[in-house]
Amino acid sequence: ERIGLHSCRNPLSESSKMRLSLCLACAAALRAPLRAPLRTPMRKPLITMGLSKSITDSFPALVAGAAVVGATPVGPTLLRLDGPKVTAALALTMLAMGTTLETADFRRIAQRPKPVAVGFLSQFCVMPASAVVASMIWRLPPAQAAGVCLVGCCPGGVASNVVSLLARADVPLSITMTTCSTVAACFLTPILAALCAGAKAELNRAALAASTVQVVLAPVALGLALRSCFPKKCDRAQPFLAPTAALLVAWICGSVVAKNSAGAAAAGAGRVLGALLCLHGLGFGLGYAAAKAAGLDEAARRTVSIETGMQNSALAVVLAGAAGLPPAAKLPGAISATIHSIMGSVLARRWRRQMPTIPRRPAPVFERVAWSGTPYPARP
């Protein structure tokens, strides 16, 4: 107590002040290393997310680059992928897509039935009819015409969700439409392919249906089950799933181009390219026109256009082999993945510069009364 009273009466000397400052500085220095390591682990997920986004955004360049490498003499050696491995790679891609889905994605169908219905009809009506028309205009041989028809009968691709994000479209609607078309493809793709491509080439319908269930339905259902049982682990794996799917699809397309590059010129690859440009051009244009005629807003129009024009072309490659079609029938699927990715990216770049106009609903009566300066109306 005497020391305290004496220190209160007499002010601190200069030496005492220096000692006190040094003590405070030493205490702060001792505490600083304890806080610094807590911030360093947070940088790794940011780097992982940035790398994942970079790979996913460059999906069109990856597919185009794989196709170019596959057409070179070293393509068959670098991008070699056998038939069972192609099926396994695509099934792994669909499994990755299934782990990103939840039951809430299916509830959106009931909440927004009109845009989903317009996109569903555009997907499975416009594209198969456009495939038949494009193959007839360009007078394709039977095997290549069947491959183009298979591309038109496939569901929407996973890359459409990425393009919808880049185009400032409705991403939740894009995910819902991709989910619906993927699940419905288990039943509609074999039927539509038999109607469109069955008359152009011999088609093993039973093998086509079995391969669709094996590649699409089973992996997506397994992914949903994993998501419901292990949600936290699936969330941790999300940064790696999208780039892995992009790399696998690019590898599949490059391997198919490498296998068929030798006889592509003799088989009329130029006509196949023209037919696919016509097919996807009609898909993008008619999809947007159908959404506009249905009275959807601009963001939904862009989404329907993208979902209609971009197909799961890797699935067409697998189904062409499973249906017993000639090797030339796989070439349209490989070229299609490159074409619709480039077309979708160009369209997204143009739309990204234009913000979609969202129609404003009239404000409720109590909001208009409040903003006019008068008090809120009394509640009943």
Side-chain angles (χ1 to χ4, degrees):
E1 293 179 358
R2 292 180 181 178
I3 295 174
L5 292 174
H6 184 270
S7 59
C8 293
R9 292 176 182 176
N10 300 329
L12 292 175
S13 60
E14 294 295 332
S15 60
S16 300
K17 290 181 181 180
M18 291 294 295
R19 291 175 184 174
L20 182 59
S21 301
L22 289 174
C23 292
L24 293 176
C26 292
L30 289 175
R31 291 182 181 180
L34 298 177
R35 298 176 183 174
L38 296 177
R39 300 178 182 178
T40 52
M42 296 299 292
R43 298 177 183 176
K44 295 182 180 180
L46 295 177
I47 296 175
T48 304
M49 291 295 292
L51 181 61
S52 172
K53 186 177 182 300
S54 300
I55 296 176
T56 306
D57 292 346
S58 60
F59 172 75
L62 290 174
V63 175
V68 171
V69 173
T72 59
V74 297
T77 304
L78 294 177
L79 301 174
R80 184 178 180 181
L81 201 62
D82 299 331
K85 294 181 181 179
V86 172
T87 305
L90 185 60
L92 184 61
T93 302
M94 302 308 295
L95 175 65
M97 177 183 172
T99 56
T100 62
L101 302 176
E102 298 178 353
T103 55
D105 297 327
F106 297 94
R107 294 196 194 103
R108 295 192 186 101
I109 303 173
Q111 296 175 356
R112 305 182 64 183
K114 185 177 179 180
V116 176
V118 172
F120 188 86
L121 293 176
S122 181
Q123 178 74 53
F124 289 106
C125 293
V126 171
M127 291 303 288
S130 300
V132 175
V133 172
S135 61
M136 292 175 61
I137 292 175
W138 289 89
R139 298 180 181 179
L140 298 179
Q144 295 179 354
V148 172
C149 291
L150 270 178
V151 173
C153 297
C154 283
V158 184
S160 61
N161 305 142
V162 181
V163 175
S164 297
L165 177 64
L166 298 177
R168 301 186 188 274
D170 195 336
V171 178
L173 177 61
S174 176
I175 296 174
T176 304
M177 291 175 59
T178 304
T179 305
C180 293
S181 63
T182 302
V183 174
C186 303
F187 312 100
L188 292 180
T189 296
I191 297 174
L192 293 174
L195 292 175
C196 298
K200 302 179 182 297
E202 293 184 3
L203 192 69
N204 191 340
R205 303 182 182 183
L208 179 63
S211 180
T212 306
V213 173
Q214 179 184 1
V215 176
V216 179
L217 182 60
V220 172
L222 180 59
L224 281 169
L226 290 175
R227 180 71 183 181
S228 60
C229 297
F230 308 102
K232 294 183 179 179
K233 293 183 178 180
C234 290
D235 290 337
R236 294 175 183 174
Q238 289 305 315
F240 306 97
L241 294 179
T244 302
L247 293 174
L248 286 175
V249 172
W251 191 9
I252 292 172
C253 297
S255 66
V256 174
V257 172
K259 288 181 181 179
N260 298 273
S261 60
R271 287 189 292 174
V272 175
L273 181 62
L276 291 172
L277 286 171
C278 180
L279 169 63
H280 293 293
L282 288 173
F284 284 114
L286 294 179
Y288 188 91
K292 185 177 181 180
L296 303 182
D297 57 84
E298 178 63 23
R301 295 176 192 174
R302 297 179 182 182
T303 306
V304 173
S305 173
I306 293 169
E307 288 292 327
T308 305
M310 301 187 68
Q311 300 290 90
N312 192 346
S313 302
L315 179 62
V317 174
V318 176
L319 295 181
L325 295 175
K330 299 180 181 180
L331 186 61
I335 300 177
S336 169
T338 307
I339 291 176
H340 74 67
S341 297
I342 295 175
M343 293 177 68
S345 300
V346 172
L347 199 59
R349 183 177 180 84
R350 179 180 178 183
W351 276 338
R352 188 172 183 82
R353 299 176 181 177
Q354 305 172 358
M355 288 294 295
T357 56
I358 302 175
R360 296 184 177 181
R361 297 175 298 176
V365 177
F366 70 91
E367 291 186 4
R368 293 198 297 268
V369 172
W371 282 106
S372 62
T374 56
Y376 286 95
R379 294 185 178 182

